[in-house]
Amino acid sequence: MGIAGFSGHIAAGVHLKQIAVNQAESRLEKGQAQIAQQLEEKSKELVTKAREYADSQYKKEEERFGQVLAWAVRGELIRNNLDQIDQYLTELVKTRDTERVVLISDEGKLLVSTDKKLESEEAASLYPQDVRLAAVTSLSNRT
């Protein structure tokens, strides 16, 4: 075998080696892409679970706050102290995402409202019956 034949075998060997390297790189890239996709899916799953947990905790805190506020308002109602209730509700309106707070009696009378224009209104004209008759503290997004 001459130099030409030997160099042909070397060229073929180098070419085969390059093909093997390319295939290995391709498998590596596919593996990396698959791992990246799995990580992204896992990350989305974890973010979703974290949001669900945070939402559930926020809801529990809202319920606790509502219960404490209801106790405070009930105590002032027993003493017929509507001015103190008005002060509580006025402070509540200053918090973020709270536009208006009203207190409606069991008879459907509007007792206290942070929107003073509504104090002369009938509760029936402002809120549907299911809201007025709610036996629990309710938060309503009315626009």
Side-chain angles (χ1 to χ4, degrees), residues 12-91:
V14 169
H15 183 67
L16 289 175
K17 183 177 180 183
Q18 185 60 41
I19 290 172
V21 168
N22 288 345
Q23 289 175 342
E25 287 176 346
S26 177
R27 284 191 302 269
L28 180 63
E29 287 173 2
K30 286 179 185 176
Q32 287 173 335
Q34 186 179 16
I35 290 171
Q37 183 180 0
Q38 289 171 344
L39 284 174
E40 185 175 339
E41 289 171 5
K42 192 65 169 175
S43 175
K44 286 180 183 179
E45 180 183 327
L46 290 173
V47 166
T48 299
K49 285 182 179 181
R51 283 188 180 139
E52 289 171 355
Y53 178 75
D55 289 346
S56 73
Q57 293 301 326
Y58 184 76
K59 184 165 177 52
K60 286 178 185 177
E61 290 301 315
E62 277 184 334
E63 289 170 358
R64 286 184 196 121
F65 172 77
Q67 189 175 30
V68 171
L69 179 62
W71 290 337
V73 168
R74 180 182 177 277
E76 297 304 330
L77 274 174
I78 290 170
R79 291 184 282 286
N80 199 30
N81 192 353
L82 295 179
D83 289 335
Q84 183 62 47
I85 294 170
D86 185 49
Q87 289 176 20
Y88 291 155
L89 301 183
T90 299
E91 287 302 312

